Amino acid sequence: MLKLEHLGWSLPDGEEIIKDLDLTLSGGKLVVVTGPNGGGKTSLAKLVAGLETPTSGRIWFNGKDITGLDITERAKSGIAYAFQQPVRFKGLRVRDMLELAAGEKLTESALCGLLGKVGLCANEYIDRELNASLSGGEIKRIEIASVLARNAQLSIFDEPEAGIDLWSFARLVETFQELRQKSSGTLLVISHQERILSIADEIVVIAGGHVRGHGPREEILPTLLAGEKAGRCPLDKEEARV
């Protein structure tokens, strides 16, 4: 479904962030990408979504070379992305955002279902504007709901747990589990949280711009937990730069 070949990306000053990275992901799975801060996880997600352009290598999605496509064209091809820090839109209501994502008018029941999956009460939020009156956690949950509304073939969530309370986080974990069971699409989640790692089908460890580990949860997670107890990332042999 998603194949990255010799992918590279550098900052304008020439510093390499993603370095000759190869990765292949099949469809219909919950894949969690983890690793030390500054290792390249978010950069990789942005490259797949089309927010950044690789300096080398190719990106293939469902057998099509999408390296040259922008974020809009990739969205049309079936890729959805939830920002780590969501954008606010003055004058746009929550209802409007979800219907734009879904590509159709939504019933009150459908709106309630989407917002309920991220721990929000629809009656309190559907007609509110996406402006400064919403907290960071609220806007983050609404954006996650909009990605769910897309029902995309590949949904990318960049640290979805950031800025949300423990109750909403628990509901989010349940939602990921439900989607994994009911959807044929792939969920690609950037996260450090053990609870999210523990429900993954596959785990990818990114460090120093490279894939340091990739495999079934049963193989990768115990190694990560052992390294955490020892105070290190066992799959990372070089220090990641921030």
Side-chain angles (χ1 to χ4, degrees):
M1 180 193 189
L2 179 68
K3 186 175 183 180
L4 313 179
E5 294 182 326
H6 303 294
L7 199 66
W9 181 69
S10 302
L11 295 174
D13 64 6
E15 179 184 4
E16 284 188 288
I17 303 300
I18 301 296
K19 307 170 185 177
D20 195 31
L21 185 149
D22 291 310
L23 180 65
T24 300
L25 302 177
S26 56
K29 294 185 177 180
L30 171 54
V31 181
V32 179
V33 178
T34 193
N37 290 332
K41 302 182 302 298
T42 291
S43 298
L44 179 64
K46 288 181 177 179
L47 287 167
V48 174
L51 290 162
E52 299 289 354
T53 302
T55 51
S56 61
R58 316 302 298 176
I59 301 174
W60 299 83
F61 182 61
N62 288 338
K64 178 183 178 181
D65 185 349
I66 63 169
T67 312
L69 301 185
D70 60 26
I71 187 171
T72 300
E73 293 170 317
R74 293 193 197 190
K76 291 178 180 178
S77 71
I79 298 175
Y81 180 81
F83 289 85
Q84 191 177 121
Q85 297 295 329
V87 180
R88 297 174 186 268
F89 300 93
K90 186 177 180 180
L92 189 70
R93 299 173 302 168
V94 172
R95 178 195 300 271
D96 302 326
M97 177 80 161
L98 295 178
E99 290 181 339
L100 282 170
E104 61 181 359
K105 288 288 184 181
L106 296 174
T107 65
E108 301 295 309
S109 177
L111 290 166
C112 185
L114 286 167
L115 291 173
K117 287 180 178 179
V118 294
L120 296 177
C121 175
N123 291 335
E124 295 179 12
Y125 285 92
I126 55 176
D127 290 315
R128 289 184 64 178
E129 285 191 17
L130 296 167
N131 55 27
S133 69
L134 293 169
S135 69
E138 288 171 327
I139 198 76
K140 181 68 175 282
R141 283 181 277 172
I142 290 166
E143 185 183 43
I144 292 171
S146 73
V147 171
L148 299 179
R150 284 278 315 278
N151 195 28
Q153 294 179 57
L154 174 62
S155 299
I156 304 170
F157 299 89
D158 190 1
E159 296 193 18
E161 69 273 9
I164 65 175
D165 58 77
L166 289 175
W167 188 90
S168 296
F169 174 66
R171 185 67 189 95
L172 184 63
V173 172
E174 292 174 1
T175 296
F176 285 148
Q177 289 177 301
E178 291 171 8
L179 288 172
R180 183 183 63 175
Q181 294 168 358
K182 297 177 181 178
S183 173
S184 60
T186 291
L187 304 177
L188 185 63
V189 184
I190 313 295
S191 180
H192 297 285
Q193 288 290 331
E194 184 179 341
R195 285 189 64 186
I196 293 180
L197 288 164
S198 68
I199 65 170
D201 293 308
E202 296 180 3
I203 295 175
V204 179
V205 181
I206 302 291
H210 298 284
V211 174
R212 297 298 186 185
H214 175 208
R217 176 193 68 244
E218 296 81 3
E219 293 181 9
I220 303 296
L221 186 55
T223 310
L224 292 175
L225 296 177
E228 185 178 82
K229 290 179 181 178
R232 60 184 175 81
C233 178
L235 300 175
D236 184 21
K237 301 300 183 184
E238 65 182 59
E239 225 176 293
R241 299 183 65 183
V242 175

